[in-house]
Structures are given as C-alpha cells and as structure tokens.
Amino acid sequence: MTDIQISPRQTILTRMASAARTAGRSPEDVALVAVSKQQPWEAIAPVLAERQLIFGENRVQEAQERWADRREGLELRLIGPLQTNKVRDAVALFDVIETLDRPKLAKALAEEAARQGRMPRLYVQVNTGEEPQKAGVSPTLADGFIAECRALGLPIEGLMAIPPEGVPPGMHFALLAKIAARNGLTKLSMGMSGDFETAIAHGATSVRVGSALFGARTY
Ligand SMILES: *Cc1c(COP(=O)(O)O)cnc(C)c1O
C-alpha cells in the first residue's frame, strides 16, 4: 500500500487555487506568504524544502536572526509594525514592507532607501475596522496618505489589512479592494489561516498564512 502524504502547504495551495477559480480568477495571481514568525526551525525547514519562496515575519530582529544567513533566493516580507528606529535594518533585510501606515515612517523609509540605495516594495496598511489598538491608516485618510507617500517617491505596490476578530471579514476585504482600485493599486495583501478563501474571493493577490501551514506558534 502506498501512503501518499499531502503536506499542509499542498493542501493550502489546493484550497487557494480552488477559491481563485470559483472567483473566476487565475490561481497564479494569488501568492502564498508563509508566516514563519514564532515558529521553530523544525517547522519551517520542511516548508522551505517544498520550495516555498515567500516568507512573512512580524519582527525585524527575529527575522534577522532567522533569515539573515539563508535569505538567498527568498522573498522576505515584513507584516508587523515597524518602528522608525528599526527602519535601517528593515530596509536592509526585507524585499517587501507591508506595514507602512504613517507619515513619519514614510519619510524615514524614503531617507533610508536613498542612503542604502535599496528600496523595498511597499504596502500601505489600512485599519479597515478603525480599531484604536490596531496599526494602519484609517480608511478615510488612506487616499491622502497614499498620495503623500507617492510624493516622497515611495513605490507603493498595494494595500494590506488585518480585519477585526470575531466579525465576518468580507466587508473589510471589500473595503480594502475599493480603496486600492480608486488609487490605482493592484496588489492586495489580505487573508490569514482562517479566512484566506474569503479574501481571495474579494481579490487578494497574496494571503498570509501561519498556523494552518506550520501549526500553532510557540511563544
Ligand atoms: C501572525 C500573522 C498572520 C498569520 O496568522 P495565522 O492566523 O497564523 O495564519 C498573518 N498576518 C499578520 C499580519 C500576522 O501578524
């Protein structure tokens, strides 16, 4: 008897492809960002061995420790809040920063990118639920902030959001898609382990999946 092992990653990719097709989209238009934060290397290594190339991290220092010596050929994305005193390290390490959400950070990124001659691709984080404890620019201020970033010469590639917990996320994904469309942005980072299929239905071009891929995080 042959025991065919289907990895968690393969299962997620299959679900992503099916969600894309259901929405009349092409599976190739949705990327899987493997959120490796707080995961032991034993959990990450098998996923890397399956040729997963895009990884998401929420802390600059943790990402440096994990990836600095083995980032060749990989795309690293920062998906957690960025303090201005970490901008230098973040610009040096990450290919994509998804959490640009305030003018002070925009200015710091523009200055540091000029200094290093290296500019990560950028996403503006939108606080679609207007939750006071959550990072992200308010939806009503998003258009102005995107314009401000562009005036600084920052290459804004798309938008990112983390919907509030405990409510259906669909309207938050739809709001993010609407803000992106009216600002001429085509990339949408939205959807996590519990809701990535809904996010794909609403136009996600990348989903950030952690626990469904690696198992529960170790703290
Ligand atoms: C941790 C994290 C994720 C992954 O969450 P899971 O529910 O484990 O898939 C996605 N996005 C952000 C911003 C995160 O901090």
Side-chain angles (χ1 to χ4, degrees):
M1 199 176 104
T2 358
D3 186 15
I4 299 170
Q5 298 277 351
I6 299 171
S7 71
R9 176 174 179 272
Q10 211 49 57
T11 303
I12 289 164
L13 288 174
T14 303
R15 286 172 58 191
M16 287 171 59
S18 153
R21 284 194 205 93
T22 302
R25 306 181 56 206
S26 169
E28 295 86 66
D29 293 342
V30 191
L32 172 62
V33 177
V35 178
S36 46
K37 67 180 187 195
Q38 296 160 358
Q39 293 288 351
W41 187 251
E42 305 83 77
I44 298 169
V47 174
L48 199 54
E50 284 184 81
R51 297 174 193 273
Q52 172 66 30
L53 297 179
I54 312 177
F55 289 86
E57 291 281 349
N58 71 335
R59 291 212 172 93
V60 177
Q61 196 185 330
E62 184 186 335
Q64 279 175 323
E65 288 163 9
R66 183 168 291 131
W67 296 110
D69 297 336
R70 46 164 89 95
R71 75 175 308 319
E72 192 65 27
L74 301 180
E75 176 176 304
L76 292 186
R77 297 186 173 214
L78 179 65
I79 61 169
L82 179 56
Q83 306 306 318
T84 44
N85 64 355
K86 296 273 170 60
V87 162
R88 176 179 300 189
D89 289 345
V91 166
L93 182 69
F94 290 100
D95 300 291
V96 181
I97 294 174
E98 296 200 359
T99 49
L100 172 53
D101 66 351
R102 57 197 192 280
K104 190 182 172 201
L105 179 58
K107 287 192 195 80
L109 282 168
E111 284 170 18
E112 191 55 38
R115 199 172 295 143
Q116 294 188 27
R118 174 188 159 87
M119 176 67 90
R121 288 140 55 203
L122 300 172
Y123 284 59
V124 167
Q125 184 177 353
V126 182
N127 187 354
T128 57
E130 308 208 52
E131 297 171 278
Q133 83 285 6
K134 203 168 263 178
V137 62
S138 152
T140 52
L141 301 176
D143 294 1
F145 180 61
I146 292 164
E148 205 174 326
C149 291
R150 286 173 164 160
L152 286 167
L154 295 176
I156 306 300
E157 182 171 289
L159 302 181
M160 181 272 227
I162 310 167
E165 278 174 44
V167 302
M171 63 171 273
H172 294 274
F173 296 148
L175 174 58
L176 196 71
K178 192 170 136 190
I179 297 170
R182 71 178 182 230
N183 285 283
L185 294 168
T186 55
K187 300 287 186 180
L188 290 169
S189 169
M190 56 190 197
M192 318 200 315
S193 289
D195 57 16
F196 65 84
E197 283 144 319
T198 308
I200 291 168
H202 284 90
T205 55
S206 58
V207 296
R208 309 177 306 266
V209 180
S211 43
L213 187 54
F214 297 110
R217 281 179 281 278
T218 52
Y219 290 90

